[in-house]
Amino acid sequence: MLKQRKDFLGLYDVPGEDIKEILTTAQSMKDIFTRSIKKVPTLRGKTVVNLFFEPSTRTKSSFDLAAKRLSADVMSISKKSSSVVKGETLLDTARTMERMGADIVVVRHSHPGAARYLANNLQAAVLNAGDGAHAHPTQGLLDIYTIWEKFGEIKGKKVLIIGDIAHSRVARSNIWGLLNLGAEVRVCGPSTLIPNRLEKTGVKIYNNIDRAIEDVDAINILRIQLERQESGLFPSLREYRFLYGINEERQNNLKEEALVMHPGPMNRGVEIESSVADGRKAVINEQVTNGVAIRMALLYLLAGKEVQHENLA
Ligand code: CP
């Protein structure tokens, strides 16, 4: 089913079966990581363009690495080093890359809908690497993969997302992906940072973190976006840390096998204490590694329509 899609823009409309196909494909990709030569010829002759108009460490470098491990040709453009600073539009920049032979355009942009706009106007496949507060589907998938890899199943698992849900593309993508796979999704944060009507989707809303963490299989701790404090959406970093921060005491109240996740970048000492980020339940480093596998899987599924599966061997 996924091979029939031109683009991959979000998880809202991706059925659970298709998400499972991505997870199992990512698992095959991860097997490649243990080989002495971590590269397969699967996308030889294909061209991937990374258009990053917002800063990124993890997503940009892992798309770059994922494309290279599949033997694609890769070009990376950032806002500062492109002709966008001279007034060129996003679409003209993307069309220029397409005329140079891009098969897949990976885009990160501050405007929600930027990836959809490119998808509607390019023949190349478009992969959303984060558009404003709207969606960050590869982050959602790598988070889900990390839970799936540990437990072997997502259905029925209780996953808590903590923080600024209203402004988080990571939260949105996790919520849709997890709900489509049959997980119980909880969110917890200041009421000013929880979207209205979220409970209509089936998500359970908590304002008390100590109640929210009871009996969960995984917690995913969002980065506090410091500019929200300036706009008065939460009182102070000190109070946020006290009310919602994950410290050792809260970690110890989690189930023994529960996972502590963070999509990064982290504000250590605010939403998560260093001892927890580096602690026994944390799978934050695994999330980063899994991000490469998930992005390889999506590049393969989007660009590799005519590629034979044996090429993964
Ligand atoms: N999690 C995430 O999207 O990180 P980057 O902004 O570093 O890509």
Side-chain angles (χ1 to χ4, degrees):
M1 290 294 283
L2 268 169
K3 288 194 174 186
Q4 287 164 14
R5 284 174 184 259
K6 179 177 97 62
D7 311 294
F8 198 82
L9 306 177
L11 292 178
Y12 175 81
D13 62 348
V14 183
E17 282 312 306
D18 287 0
I19 297 178
K20 284 182 193 164
E21 183 188 355
I22 299 168
L23 302 182
T24 51
T25 307
Q27 195 171 36
S28 307
M29 298 298 174
K30 213 174 161 186
D31 290 343
I32 297 167
F33 299 0
T34 54
R35 299 181 189 170
S36 56
I37 297 173
K38 301 175 184 60
K39 205 171 171 99
V40 288
T42 313
L43 295 190
R44 199 161 50 200
K46 298 281 181 188
T47 302
V48 176
V49 175
N50 291 321
L51 285 183
F52 275 68
F53 291 95
E54 256 192 359
S56 165
T57 298
R58 279 148 285 269
T59 314
K60 183 173 181 298
S61 52
S62 68
F63 264 116
D64 205 41
L65 187 58
K68 286 175 178 161
R69 285 191 172 168
L70 292 169
S71 302
D73 295 319
V74 189
M75 293 189 284
S76 291
I77 308 276
S78 70
K79 185 176 176 180
K80 267 201 267 184
S81 62
S82 75
S83 289
V84 167
V85 292
K86 301 183 209 161
E88 187 169 65
T89 66
L90 171 65
L91 183 56
D92 282 339
T93 306
R95 279 188 173 144
T96 302
M97 295 297 106
E98 193 174 49
R99 295 310 300 164
M100 289 186 199
D103 298 291
I104 299 189
V105 174
V106 177
V107 61
R108 168 169 288 194
H109 203 281
S110 55
H111 284 282
R116 164 74 63 193
Y117 174 64
L118 289 189
N120 289 347
N121 287 285
L122 295 178
Q123 284 178 356
V126 175
L127 235 159
N128 187 1
D131 61 332
H134 172 235
H136 192 352
T138 57
Q139 181 68 49
L141 286 168
L142 76 89
D143 293 342
I144 290 168
Y145 181 92
T146 305
I147 301 169
W148 178 75
E149 189 178 49
K150 294 284 176 191
F151 296 114
E153 181 60 281
I154 296 293
K155 192 167 184 207
K157 290 282 169 281
K158 297 184 178 75
V159 181
L160 169 65
I161 305 169
I162 305 162
D164 180 357
I165 311 298
H167 302 95
S168 173
R169 57 194 177 203
V170 175
R172 273 181 185 69
S173 290
N174 266 275
I175 288 169
W176 288 123
L178 288 164
L179 288 176
N180 290 350
L181 285 163
E184 176 185 313
V185 184
R186 302 180 184 182
V187 299
C188 183
S191 53
T192 47
L193 300 179
I194 307 283
N196 291 334
R197 301 194 298 275
L198 183 61
E199 67 274 9
K200 288 195 170 31
T201 63
V203 170
K204 296 185 178 174
I205 296 171
Y206 292 76
N207 293 116
N208 181 312
I209 189 70
D210 297 305
R211 295 282 306 281
I213 62 174
E214 280 172 13
D215 200 30
V216 292
D217 298 290
I219 60 172
N220 204 348
I221 306 162
L222 302 176
R223 176 176 69 89
I224 268 298
Q225 301 178 40
L226 300 173
E227 64 275 20
R228 305 293 168 213
Q229 193 192 342
E230 284 150 30
S231 51
L233 288 171
F234 69 93
S236 73
L237 290 181
R238 211 157 70 108
E239 193 168 310
Y240 184 89
R241 180 186 187 194
F242 175 70
L243 291 173
Y244 302 103
I246 300 300
N247 50 31
E248 280 193 67
E249 189 186 336
R250 286 181 174 141
Q251 174 191 247
N252 292 339
N253 288 336
L254 290 167
K255 283 200 299 203
E256 189 48 38
E257 66 275 22
L259 309 177
V260 172
M261 304 167 68
H262 194 303
M266 291 184 274
N267 295 305
R268 287 175 184 257
V270 182
E271 70 264 7
I272 185 168
E273 294 304 312
S274 263
S275 57
V276 178
D278 303 323
R280 64 198 159 84
K281 291 181 186 294
V283 289
I284 298 165
N285 292 331
E286 283 98 316
Q287 285 173 266
V288 173
T289 307
N290 293 338
V292 180
I294 282 291
R295 288 165 182 133
M296 285 172 78
L298 281 172
L299 291 173
Y300 165 69
L301 290 167
L302 283 187
K305 293 177 181 70
E306 65 274 30
V307 173
Q308 296 301 307
H309 206 68
E310 304 82 86
N311 276 355
L312 288 177

